[in-house]
Amino acid sequence: MAKIIDPDNLTYSVNSATNMLRFDTAAKTVQLVAGGSLVANHGVTGQCLFSKIKEVIKADATLIKYALPVREMIHDESMELINGWTFLDSTTVKMIRDCGVAYVNSAGVTTAMFACFYTNGAVLTGAPYGTFSSANNASTFAFTHINIGATFGVNELVQIYSDTNGDGTPDYDYRAYVKLFLREAGYTYSEQSNTEIGYPVLTYKKYVFALTHAVDAGVTKNDATVDAYTGMSIQWYAAAQSASLGSNGPYNYHVLINANSHTYDEVYSWVQRQLRKSSDIDADVTGNRTGQVTPALVFMDGTTLKTKYQTGIGGIHISNLSAASYNNIAEADDTQAYRTYPYTAAITFNFDSYLQADGANAKFWIYDAATYPGAGATLLTDASAAPMTGTISGPTASFSYAWSSDKAWIGVAVGKANAKVAVASGTILQSTVNSGSFVAGQERWYSNP
């Protein structure tokens, strides 16, 4: 059944524990009890409830004798219970939809305020949650009723102000800040604060937050996998940290993510996992940054992992990234500009079966063709500045290359008892599928008796 919008669908009683809407004139309470057309998860609109209360005041000979429980509504998104009337319990409050509520005592002092938080967009799994503090280690609150697969996720009252004694000194006051989050494993993340929807201060009315998600193709590793990663960390710094992206930079950042040689998609999956933790995710351990309330750090733009500038903090750099991912990274620095690595080409060298058979007794060298041969022959270096050379340990050897222009190469591979000497050449183009082949053939004359 849908939420009730027609007061005719609510039954009532005064000073009797029957029906959906119950009034207790001694306690000055109004109660909603699920049953019949009233389903707790669907509830009743504030406008409908106000309308029914007004009808009961008019129709009931007992209730009319008491100070009015409700003030005329200014609009359909705000309701006031007055003269000391309140809703009986949280169960009742949590069944009211599309409308904020305030309690006003007999002296005219507002003693409580409830804002209606409405999240626009589908929630496919899990639940939105919120916080009333911008602190790094803020606690969170949960919602009672979540709608899965509907056009909205939450439509619920949450108390934002309490002054139990009515003396003007509140027990708590959350009107300055609220932020809602939707973070579920394997789905895109969403978050929004009251200022981001145009309200610097909260009151007892309805607020609509754009909070929805979709399956996140960027998450390629599950929680169990990334929880097993070691050596990865996130650290916030008070002072700017200088870092270069290959030959580009240096640039300044205030947050560093240590990838510990992981690829961009592994980093993304790992970081998203940290943002769902209820523990401290700051590696410096001098403070406490709870993952659940930490603003988003990264997002996927197609196949590019982008870091997000942190307002009031600075940019984010990913250190110790796998060189294979250099083309898939764009980092927001302290100036909010996006920084990238020089284009990183990739090349794979193939070795024939004879070179492979020599194994540890076979080696290869890749030279800059412009310097070879001769005493000045220079080995090409990969994107991490390591020379392109090594022992042949399998059918292929792959390297990254910081490409700025096409680079001609000449390679030499030397076997021993199984393979002849092989010379190969080619050009590294702006591509990730460059290749070269060493065909040595069988060695028939080597002997070391």
Side-chain angles (χ1 to χ4, degrees):
M1 301 182 70
K3 65 186 175 186
I4 296 177
I5 61 174
D6 184 349
D8 293 339
N9 291 329
L10 283 175
T11 59
Y12 80 94
S13 63
V14 177
N15 298 329
S16 172
T18 58
N19 296 310
M20 305 173 199
L21 178 61
R22 304 174 185 179
F23 297 85
D24 185 326
T25 57
K28 287 189 174 182
T29 59
V30 180
Q31 182 184 14
L32 287 171
V33 178
S37 59
L38 179 58
V39 178
N41 189 54
H42 300 154
V44 54
T45 67
Q47 183 180 26
C48 176
L49 182 57
F50 166 81
S51 301
K52 188 65 178 184
I53 292 174
K54 190 172 182 180
E55 288 181 1
V56 176
I57 293 171
K58 178 182 176 182
D60 190 85
T62 299
L63 188 60
I64 193 65
K65 298 177 181 180
Y66 293 84
L68 295 175
V70 66
R71 196 193 310 275
E72 286 290 333
M73 296 181 78
I74 298 174
H75 54 78
D76 63 355
E77 293 185 355
S78 293
M79 180 196 305
E80 292 182 354
L81 295 191
I82 59 174
N83 295 316
W85 284 81
T86 63
F87 289 116
L88 175 66
D89 51 24
S90 177
T91 300
T92 298
V93 169
K94 294 298 182 178
M95 280 194 274
I96 299 171
R97 305 284 174 257
D98 300 318
C99 181
V101 170
Y103 296 160
V104 181
N105 67 15
S106 299
V109 176
T110 299
T111 59
M113 293 185 188
F114 301 82
C116 177
F117 296 142
Y118 182 99
T119 63
N120 190 23
V123 174
L124 303 177
T125 186
Y129 61 91
T131 179
F132 285 121
S133 171
S134 60
N136 297 330
N137 61 345
S139 59
T140 62
F141 63 84
F143 291 99
T144 302
H145 301 298
I146 309 298
N147 294 275
I148 301 297
T151 57
F152 69 101
V154 169
N155 183 355
E156 187 169 305
L157 291 183
V158 178
Q159 190 164 3
I160 59 172
Y161 180 84
S162 174
D163 179 8
T164 306
N165 296 324
D167 58 5
T169 303
D171 310 309
Y172 56 82
D173 187 347
Y174 299 145
R175 291 176 292 177
Y177 182 86
V178 70
K179 189 172 187 179
L180 303 188
F181 299 83
L182 180 58
R183 294 179 174 178
E184 294 297 327
Y187 292 81
T188 54
Y189 289 178
S190 183
E191 60 193 69
Q192 205 166 43
S193 68
N194 56 296
T195 56
E196 290 171 326
I197 63 172
Y199 294 94
V201 178
L202 297 170
T203 187
Y204 53 101
K205 69 176 294 292
K206 178 181 178 180
Y207 297 94
V208 179
F209 294 82
L211 216 65
T212 187
H213 60 187
V215 174
D216 190 349
V219 174
T220 61
K221 310 298 178 184
N222 62 28
D223 286 356
T225 299
V226 299
D227 284 346
Y229 291 166
T230 59
M232 299 183 73
S233 64
I234 308 172
Q235 187 163 345
W236 281 257
Y237 293 86
Q241 304 296 302
S242 179
S244 295
L245 280 67
S247 59
N248 291 344
Y251 311 112
N252 286 333
Y253 305 87
H254 273 76
V255 183
L256 299 187
I257 298 172
N258 183 355
N260 195 29
S261 299
H262 284 278
T263 60
Y264 77 96
D265 55 323
E266 292 171 331
V267 171
Y268 178 70
S269 299
W270 182 83
V271 171
Q272 295 297 80
R273 167 62 172 142
Q274 307 317 298
L275 296 182
R276 286 184 287 106
K277 289 185 175 180
S278 58
S279 57
D280 183 11
I281 63 171
D282 189 351
D284 72 357
V285 303
T286 59
N288 188 346
R289 290 184 180 271
T290 304
Q292 286 181 329
V293 297
T294 297
L297 301 173
V298 295
F299 67 99
M300 292 300 301
D301 185 359
T303 59
T304 300
L305 170 59
K306 292 185 174 180
T307 67
K308 296 192 69 171
Y309 177 82
Q310 304 294 287
T311 302
I313 299 174
I316 301 178
H317 169 63
I318 302 173
S319 63
N320 301 316
L321 182 71
S322 165
S325 292
Y326 286 171
N327 294 338
N328 301 96
I329 291 292
E331 299 179 349
D333 70 2
D334 282 355
T335 71
Q336 303 188 45
Y338 274 101
R339 308 299 185 178
T340 59
Y341 287 86
Y343 182 86
T344 303
I347 184 166
T348 299
F349 298 105
N350 302 282
F351 307 106
D352 72 3
S353 59
Y354 299 105
L355 286 167
Q356 294 176 52
D358 273 328
N361 288 320
K363 190 172 181 179
F364 68 96
W365 299 260
I366 309 299
Y367 291 100
D368 183 341
T371 67
Y372 181 91
T378 303
L379 288 170
L380 288 182
T381 56
D382 66 14
S384 62
M388 293 188 186
T389 184
T391 299
I392 296 173
S393 57
T396 63
S398 297
F399 294 90
S400 60
Y401 180 73
W403 183 95
S404 58
S405 61
D406 294 350
K407 174 61 69 174
W409 59 270
I410 293 178
V412 181
V414 179
K416 192 173 182 182
N418 292 289
K420 297 179 182 179
V421 176
V423 178
S425 62
T427 302
I428 300 177
L429 305 175
Q430 187 179 11
S431 171
T432 57
V433 292
N434 292 291
S435 66
S437 295
F438 289 91
V439 181
Q442 185 176 6
E443 173 60 67
R444 298 181 183 277
W445 304 112
Y446 174 82
S447 175
N448 184 9

